[in-house]
Amino acid sequence: MAACFSFSSTMDSCFRYSFSRAGLKSITTDLGDGTIIHCWAPKFRRETKPNLLLLHGFGANAMWQWNEFIAPLIRFFNVYVPDLIFFGNSYTTRPERSESFQARCMMRLMDSFGVQKVNVVGISYGGFVSYSMAVQFPERLEKLVLCCAGVCLEEKDMADGMFVVKNVDEAASILLPQTPAKLKELLRLTFVKPARILPTCIIDDFIDVMCTEYKQEKEELIKEILKDRNLANLPKIDKTTLIVWGEQDRVFPLELAHRLKRHLGGNAELVVVKEAGHAINAEKPKEMYKHIKAFLTTHPDLNPSTNSSLCSSF
C-alpha cells in the first residue's frame, strides 16, 4: 500500500495555520511581466506601525524559516513574508536570475501593498536580495539586518579554499539535495548539532515535497551569486545595518562577516552568536530574535513603551 501521509506537507499546513492565526493572510500577486509572487501580508495593516519585510534563504519556503519569529514581531510591525522567486509559490517566466532582479520584484511587491518605507531582514540568500534592495532603493529602506549572508564573497574565494565545497556545482548538489545522503550532508553543514536520527521516510518525503520543484532554476540562482563576484565591485550602502552571524557557520565562514563589517564601516554593527552555524534561525531563534528586536526597536517610529513591551514578548 502506498504511503498517504506526508510529514512535510503536514508541517506546511501547520505553518499556514500558524501564520494565519498570527494575523497574516496568503496573497498571490501578479507583477504583470510573467512574474508571480506569493506573500504572507497583514490582514489589517496599521499605519501607526513600521513595516518589516522578512526574506528567507535557500530551503523549503518562507514559512519554514520564519515561523518562530512571526508571533512576536507582528505585534509591533506590519510584517510581510514573501516567497522569493522559484521558492514556494513564486516564479517567473523571465530569464533573470540575479539577486538584483529578485530585489526589484520585492520592491514592486511592496508597491502593490502601498508600502513606501520598510525595514528588511534577510537570511543567507535573502540577505543578498536585501543588500541589493538597499543598493537600488536606498530611499525606501529604513534599517537592514543581514543574517549569515556572504554578500562580500568573491569568486576567487572558492578556488582559495575558503568554503567546504570545491566548486559551485558541488555547492548546488548540497543546497538542493536530491538524495538522503546529500540532505544529511546539508544538515551537517548548516547545523552545529544536527539531528542524529532522521527516519528515511521523512527524508525521502522532504526531498520529494520541498527539493524537486524549480531545481534547475535554483541552480541558476546559485551560480549567478558567484559569477564574476568581486568585492571591489560591491557598492557600499549608506544604511544602518546589523550583521548577525553564527560563530561556526560552515556555509559562509565568519571571515565573511568581518569582511562585510570592514566594507560597511561605521554604518554596521556585527553580532556573533556562539554555538550556532549557518541555520542560526533554527538553532538560536531566541538569540537571533533578541538582537533583531533590539536593533529594530531603536527606530524613532517606535515609542519607549513599545520597546519595553517587546523585550518580553519572546
Side-chain angles (χ1 to χ4, degrees), residues 42-261:
K43 292 178 181 178
F44 304 100
R45 180 182 166 197
R46 308 295 185 187
E47 294 297 335
T48 56
K49 290 182 180 181
N51 301 304
L52 178 61
L53 177 65
L54 303 177
L55 299 183
H56 64 86
F58 269 78
N61 57 44
M63 294 187 300
W64 287 66
Q65 297 190 18
W66 288 116
N67 184 63
E68 294 285 341
F69 300 83
I70 296 304
L73 287 173
I74 203 171
R75 294 173 58 196
F76 305 95
F77 297 90
N78 295 310
V79 178
Y80 298 84
V81 193
D83 289 321
L84 292 169
I85 296 171
F86 299 126
F87 297 87
N89 293 318
S90 298
Y91 64 91
T92 187
T93 58
R94 296 178 63 84
E96 288 91 343
R97 299 292 182 264
S98 67
E99 65 261 34
S100 61
F101 174 68
Q102 295 263 19
R104 291 192 296 274
C105 290
M106 291 302 105
M107 193 53 77
R108 290 172 64 193
L109 178 68
M110 292 296 95
D111 289 340
S112 74
F113 291 125
V115 173
Q116 295 302 311
K117 297 277 189 177
V118 64
N119 297 284
V120 184
V121 181
I123 299 176
S124 191
Y125 178 67
F128 284 77
V129 178
S130 301
Y131 195 95
S132 186
M133 290 182 73
V135 170
Q136 297 183 72
F137 310 100
E139 74 287 351
R140 302 281 300 275
L141 264 66
E142 294 183 313
K143 287 188 175 183
L144 178 65
V145 181
L146 302 173
C147 303
C148 301
V151 295
C152 273
L153 69 83
E154 298 188 282
E155 188 173 18
K156 69 182 184 65
D157 288 332
M158 188 165 285
D160 290 345
M162 173 178 284
F163 305 108
V164 174
V165 295
K166 297 180 176 63
N167 54 61
V168 70
D169 290 328
E170 184 180 353
S173 73
I174 297 173
L175 291 173
L176 305 171
Q178 300 298 300
T179 66
K182 286 297 181 182
L183 180 57
K184 290 178 181 178
E185 188 174 355
L186 175 63
L187 294 175
R188 289 193 298 269
L189 190 63
T190 53
F191 286 81
V192 173
K193 296 180 180 179
R196 293 186 177 182
I197 300 176
L198 276 177
T200 301
C201 59
I202 290 180
I203 293 176
D204 289 339
D205 174 67
F206 183 85
I207 292 172
D208 182 58
V209 175
M210 296 294 177
C211 302
T212 56
E213 194 169 23
Y214 298 121
K215 178 178 176 291
Q216 179 180 337
E217 290 84 353
K218 289 176 180 176
E219 288 177 352
E220 292 167 358
L221 295 179
I222 293 171
K223 292 177 180 178
E224 189 67 28
I225 290 174
L226 196 64
K227 183 180 178 182
D228 299 325
R229 201 170 191 95
N230 191 307
L231 182 58
N233 298 328
L234 183 68
K236 291 187 179 182
I237 55 175
D238 185 18
K239 191 65 57 182
T240 305
T241 304
L242 174 66
I243 305 166
V244 183
W245 221 276
E247 184 181 40
Q248 300 181 51
D249 193 331
R250 299 178 66 206
V251 175
F252 292 131
L254 186 57
E255 164 56 28
L256 291 176
H258 293 292
R259 186 187 290 180
L260 180 57
K261 174 65 176 71

